[in-house]
Amino acid sequence: MKYFSQHYPVITHISKPFRGGWGPGICRKDEFEREFPERAYYGELTLCIYDMQSMFNELYGTGEDFERLCQEFFSLFNAEEADWFGMCSESTRIGDKKLEDIDYGIQPSAICIWEETFSEEVQLYSIDPEEEFHIDMLKLMVKRCMWDVLFPGETLPGYTEPTSGDLSLLDYSVMK
């Protein structure tokens, strides 16, 4: 069986800062501004996004790497559900449906994002990250927090964002 990290090595590496329960809501702004006075703060996920950008720029800074990452995104967004489960599975094997530890995995971040973005439809803290896996939720997080930041203004073929919810909470495309 194939591992997610073998099929999507750059995405695997640069998604590490998102592992944990990070949502877009504004909190700890004072602490962030004291530590990073020169950086813009757009919500709780800001530091994770800056870390992701930094990792990419330091480790994959060439145009060839940028194209490779772009192809990984295209492949992932056109892949079967099994690949998305591999991104969040305990073993990282594609198709493995046993989710990572909720204190470490990327699934809790996706849940926070979904609950805050769709607060009219989903009650906060109503989704159990140990029990529920919601691919649309994960796709929205990856698209808004990774693709839009690394490829601002570019269309991601094969993906249509949800039309409900407050997607303005997830507009990180303005980050540099």
Side-chain angles (χ1 to χ4, degrees):
M1 182 161 275
K2 199 165 208 172
Y3 287 89
F4 185 86
S5 58
Q6 291 171 319
H7 200 69
Y8 308 98
V10 182
I11 289 175
T12 298
H13 195 225
I14 66 173
S15 67
K16 287 178 182 175
F18 297 105
R19 298 187 179 279
W22 306 102
I26 295 177
C27 58
R28 296 194 305 267
K29 184 176 180 179
D30 294 338
E31 179 184 323
F32 181 90
E33 288 177 342
R34 274 194 306 275
E35 190 170 343
F36 303 100
E38 73 286 351
R39 290 186 171 184
Y41 182 80
Y42 299 103
E44 191 175 8
L45 279 173
T46 307
L47 192 54
C48 299
I49 291 170
Y50 281 133
D51 287 346
M52 177 210 53
Q53 287 177 304
S54 179
M55 287 175 100
F56 182 78
N57 291 334
E58 288 175 26
L59 302 168
Y60 304 101
T62 69
E64 182 179 305
D65 291 329
F66 214 67
E67 182 59 33
R68 189 170 97 199
L69 175 61
C70 187
Q71 292 307 313
E72 284 185 24
F73 277 115
F74 292 164
S75 177
L76 180 60
F77 276 86
N78 289 306
E80 301 292 321
E81 285 187 6
D83 290 52
W84 290 94
F85 274 108
M87 184 179 204
C88 298
S89 75
E90 192 171 77
S91 69
T92 71
R93 283 188 300 205
I94 291 178
D96 181 2
K97 293 185 179 183
K98 182 159 174 57
L99 296 176
E100 292 173 298
D101 181 316
I102 62 163
D103 292 327
Y104 173 73
I106 203 165
Q107 179 72 350
S109 289
I111 287 171
C112 288
I113 288 170
W114 195 263
E115 288 176 340
E116 290 185 31
T117 303
F118 299 94
S119 61
E120 298 288 320
E121 301 165 26
V122 179
Q123 185 178 1
L124 199 59
Y125 308 116
S126 65
I127 301 173
D128 183 351
E130 291 183 11
E131 300 297 324
E132 278 191 65
F133 184 82
H134 195 312
I135 290 174
D136 292 334
M137 176 170 61
L138 184 59
K139 284 181 177 182
L140 180 63
M141 186 196 111
V142 170
K143 197 283 189 177
R144 284 294 186 116
C145 298
M146 295 177 74
W147 173 265
D148 286 352
V149 171
L150 294 169
F151 301 95
E154 297 290 322
T155 301
L156 181 58
Y159 180 69
T160 304
E161 288 186 352
T163 55
S164 63
D166 184 3
L167 297 176
S168 67
L169 287 173
L170 294 172
D171 186 9
Y172 295 107
S173 62
V174 297
M175 294 178 70
K176 292 183 182 191

